[in-house]
Amino acid sequence: MGSGAGRDWRERAAQGKPVGRPGAKRRRRPSRGASPPCSPAGGARAQGRGGLGSRSPAGRGEGRTPAHRSVGARGQSGGGKDRQSDTLPGTSVAMAEHAGRRCCLGWDFSTQQVKVVAVDAELNVFYEDSVHFDRDLLEFGTQGGVHVHEDGLTVTSPVLMWVQACFSISDCPVWMDSSTTAQCRQLEATVGGAQALSCLTGSRAYERFTGNQIAKLYQQNPEAYSHTERISLVSSFAASLFLGSHSPIDYSDGSGMNLLRIQDKVWSQACLGACAPHLEEKLGLPVPSCSVVGAISSYFVQRYGFPPGCKVVAFTGDNPASLAGMRLEEGDIAVSLGTSDTLFLWLQEPTPTLEGHIFCNPVDPQHYMALLCFKNGSLMREKIRDELASSSWSEFSKALQSTEMGNSGNLGFYFDVMEITPEIIGRHRFSAENHEVSAFPWDVEIRALIEGQFMAKKIHAEGLGYRVMPKTKILATGGASHNRDILQVLADVFGTPVYVTDTANSACVGSAYRAFHGLAAGTDVPFSEVVKIAPNPRLAAAPTPGASQVYEALLQRYAMLEQRILTQTRGLRSEFHRPSLTDSTWRRGLGQQGTSSLL
């Protein structure tokens, strides 16, 4: 945020204009359940999650707010006087109906909209609301909440859409931006290469990551950089709105910047120096994700009736908040089967590589989380369904039911767009003898697609250090999680039971969960203990007896054939070689979550 701010940004946000203009349309409604689905990883958005917390046995009390990754706040309002026209935007009805009720507000500042949910002490969602940028803030002229610039690489959001008059630049880069390739190369060279950077920060250099975006700004606009007092992630910026002062960056969201040393959780001096001068003082010191970063601003108390003891917990990013919302535990894996497929992994001992991301765990500071994204997800499944199963999921399922586990040794790779992990494009089919063939029978093709997608996920998850444990469970979300036959293949390939949950908006709800955890963090209560009363997931599929033996050999063959394809299509480059840095088209489509800087 710029040091020469004009109008008070706290007042601007607190007046019910967190996205920049008066009179924005809002839907005030009690929730009949969870809010509309929000893919936890189907698209990497510059998002933040957070919460505000308060206890209110007598209408006043204290509380904490969890955080989300790019932009976030979690909030609780424990009662007190309800002001019909002066409550927090979008919550007047709910707060009036639940005055005096202990609750947490989970916030989701995403690329496309701002959402809020209210969760009561029984962890039930009883209210939800949102402001959609394209629809409700027409004057900013965004499409999907962003502006794509003429170079086709630079993608930004107008910061005035969030709050006016406090920024040293007018546009904020978001996760889709791929204009910092030169800065990525420079950063990796400084620390000894891409693998060295991954071991240090959890990821090789990514164009959308904050450190590289800061380096670009410093190089292209040094005057704006010199006039910048504070650099925030969207998550820490959103927390700052509630605090009325600068909020620190949390470990989990901070580990998506290519700047934080994930082992000892301090800024890497080598990475800072490679990006811009005096960067550490502009970032501030990072803090644990469950840290209470301060009390809510007195403005919110006076204007909106928040309890004066309401606390703000460090905000985090959307992927870490989704891990909290899905209540992952050590050894668990979350699989989002959406437009792109995403895996969240709870890791104890990570193995950073040149693929995927390692983050600090948002609910257990001793552990880590990993993320893998696969672009050819539901869209690929829908293509095969339309081509071979008469556009019918019922016919698609019949093919999975009529073919045997292991598909008689037939294996397939289906990447109609350039995949992220592995870096392959095209359709490749192999017989049981490892001979490439041009086609499979329709039912064999369908099973080859589904088995191949899940074998790739397991192979690359193990590459990041993931191992199935006796208590491991898979939590499945996304459109394909409604297909029991697809989930049965998932259970068989991984050799562990698959569960589904009714929790929609997992990131936003996870923000509220973390607010409750923040209230109890001082007593060292585990996150799992805090959320144990939340609705339990339902068993959807258990491994078929003998599945482990069938897929053990197939997984080895799949990995070998994947390497063969990489060698054939990329020359002699190794599996973990960087993709072409000029291939910006597919790089813009990376489905992984990134962070953005606000200056």
Side-chain angles (χ1 to χ4, degrees), residues 64 519-526:
R64 298 183 181 174
L519 288 171
T523 58
D524 295 324
V525 177

Side-chain angles (χ1 to χ4, degrees), residues 132-211:
H132 193 277
F133 299 149
D134 290 0
R135 180 189 63 232
D136 298 333
L137 303 172
L138 296 175
E139 68 270 30
F140 290 102
T142 58
Q143 293 185 345
V146 302
H147 295 150
V148 179
H149 294 232
E150 292 183 359
D151 62 6
L153 303 176
T154 304
V155 185
T156 64
S157 287
V159 294
L160 293 185
M161 192 168 64
W162 303 332
V163 62
Q164 286 186 331
C166 66
F167 297 100
S168 56
I169 61 172
S170 59
D171 293 287
C172 168
V174 297
W175 67 272
M176 293 173 281
D177 190 284
S178 58
S179 63
T180 62
T181 296
Q183 289 77 21
C184 289
R185 286 179 168 176
Q186 178 183 354
L187 178 59
E188 290 179 346
T190 298
V191 299
Q195 181 61 54
L197 182 64
S198 180
C199 291
L200 189 66
T201 69
S203 302
R204 63 175 174 83
Y206 282 86
E207 279 80 355
R208 65 189 181 276
F209 273 22
T210 317

Side-chain angles (χ1 to χ4, degrees), residues 85-164:
S85 61
D86 289 337
T87 49
L88 188 68
T91 62
S92 58
V93 174
M95 293 301 103
E97 294 174 351
H98 299 277
R101 183 177 186 176
R102 178 183 181 234
C103 68
C104 290
L105 301 181
W107 295 86
D108 177 353
F109 285 54
S110 73
T111 307
Q112 298 166 325
Q113 61 188 323
V114 176
K115 299 178 184 177
V116 64
V117 299
V119 177
D120 63 19
E122 286 71 45
L123 302 188
N124 296 309
V125 176
F126 66 85
Y127 184 79
E128 63 177 281
D129 205 348
S130 65
V131 174
H132 193 277
F133 299 149
D134 290 0
R135 180 189 63 232
D136 298 333
L137 303 172
L138 296 175
E139 68 270 30
F140 290 102
T142 58
Q143 293 185 345
V146 302
H147 295 150
V148 179
H149 294 232
E150 292 183 359
D151 62 6
L153 303 176
T154 304
V155 185
T156 64
S157 287
V159 294
L160 293 185
M161 192 168 64
W162 303 332
V163 62
Q164 286 186 331

Side-chain angles (χ1 to χ4, degrees), residues 46 91 125 187 200-201 243 257 286 302 312 340 376 388 402 405 414 463 471 476 480 498 501 559 569 571:
T91 62
V125 176
L187 178 59
L200 189 66
T201 69
L243 284 174
M257 299 171 68
Q302 298 166 12
V312 179
S340 57
N376 293 270
L388 302 176
S402 64
M405 285 190 304
Y414 300 85
K471 65 176 184 177
V498 176
T501 177
T569 58

Side-chain angles (χ1 to χ4, degrees), residues 221-528:
N221 195 347
E223 183 177 3
Y225 180 83
S226 66
H227 290 162
T228 299
E229 172 186 311
R230 185 77 164 202
I231 298 175
S232 299
L233 300 182
V234 183
S235 54
S236 60
F237 162 72
S240 300
L241 293 178
F242 289 99
L243 284 174
S245 60
H246 295 311
S247 176
I249 294 170
D250 83 297
Y251 290 160
S252 196
D253 208 12
S255 49
M257 299 171 68
N258 278 147
L259 295 176
L260 188 77
R261 289 163 46 175
I262 60 171
Q263 295 293 338
D264 49 10
K265 300 175 179 60
V266 297
W267 299 124
S268 164
Q269 296 302 314
C271 294
L272 294 176
C275 293
H278 313 296
L279 183 52
E280 185 169 20
E281 60 192 66
K282 295 180 186 291
L283 292 173
L285 296 177
V287 297
S289 299
C290 63
S291 298
V292 176
V293 293
I296 194 166
S297 167
S298 60
Y299 188 94
F300 285 89
V301 176
Q302 298 166 12
R303 172 83 171 157
Y304 298 109
F306 273 80
C310 181
K311 298 294 192 296
V312 179
V313 173
F315 291 2
T316 191
D318 61 337
N319 288 319
S322 290
L323 180 144
M326 298 181 75
R327 297 189 292 151
L328 261 65
E329 298 178 349
E330 183 180 356
D332 286 351
I333 180 171
V335 180
S336 175
L337 301 173
T339 302
S340 57
D341 291 346
T342 307
L343 270 67
F344 297 108
L345 310 169
W346 181 298
L347 299 178
Q348 185 173 10
E349 295 295 336
T351 307
T353 68
L354 295 186
E355 60 185 22
H357 305 291
I358 303 293
F359 302 118
C360 299
N361 192 298
V363 298
D364 186 332
Q366 303 304 315
H367 291 173
Y368 299 84
M369 67 168 285
L371 183 148
L372 282 167
C373 190
F374 303 84
K375 291 173 65 177
N376 293 270
S378 283
L379 292 182
M380 192 70 245
R381 291 186 287 269
E382 289 169 5
K383 278 189 177 182
I384 297 296
R385 176 204 62 185
D386 295 344
E387 293 172 9
L388 302 176
S390 304
S391 301
S392 167
W393 284 119
S394 177
E395 292 299 310
F396 192 96
S397 291
K398 287 179 182 178
L400 295 176
Q401 296 166 8
S402 64
T403 49
E404 61 183 5
M405 285 190 304
N407 212 13
S408 301
N410 295 299
L411 295 174
F413 300 76
Y414 300 85
F415 307 123
D416 278 10
V417 297
M418 176 65 77
E419 189 49 84
I420 301 169
T421 307
E423 295 156 11
I424 294 174
I425 192 169
R427 300 186 187 184
H428 309 270
R429 305 169 185 86
F430 295 90
S431 68
E433 294 76 30
N434 293 337
H435 299 310
E436 189 156 7
V437 297
S438 59
F440 286 145
W442 76 277
D443 52 349
V444 173
E445 186 97 288
I446 288 174
R447 177 167 280 274
L449 165 69
I450 300 301
E451 286 188 340
Q453 286 186 329
F454 292 146
M455 282 192 283
K457 290 172 175 56
K458 185 174 184 182
I459 289 168
H460 292 282
E462 290 176 345
L464 288 173
Y466 172 77
R467 297 293 181 271
V468 172
M469 302 170 61
K471 65 176 184 177
T472 290
K473 61 182 179 295
I474 296 175
L475 295 169
T477 66
S481 67
H482 298 289
N483 187 311
R484 190 190 180 283
D485 297 292
I486 290 177
L487 296 187
Q488 186 61 57
V489 178
L490 175 61
D492 290 341
V493 170
F494 275 81
T496 193
V498 176
Y499 293 79
V500 293
T501 177
D502 292 328
T503 301
N505 259 345
S506 58
C508 210
V509 172
S511 298
Y513 286 174
R514 292 187 60 244
F516 282 107
H517 185 220
L519 288 171
T523 58
D524 295 324
V525 177
F527 179 77
S528 58

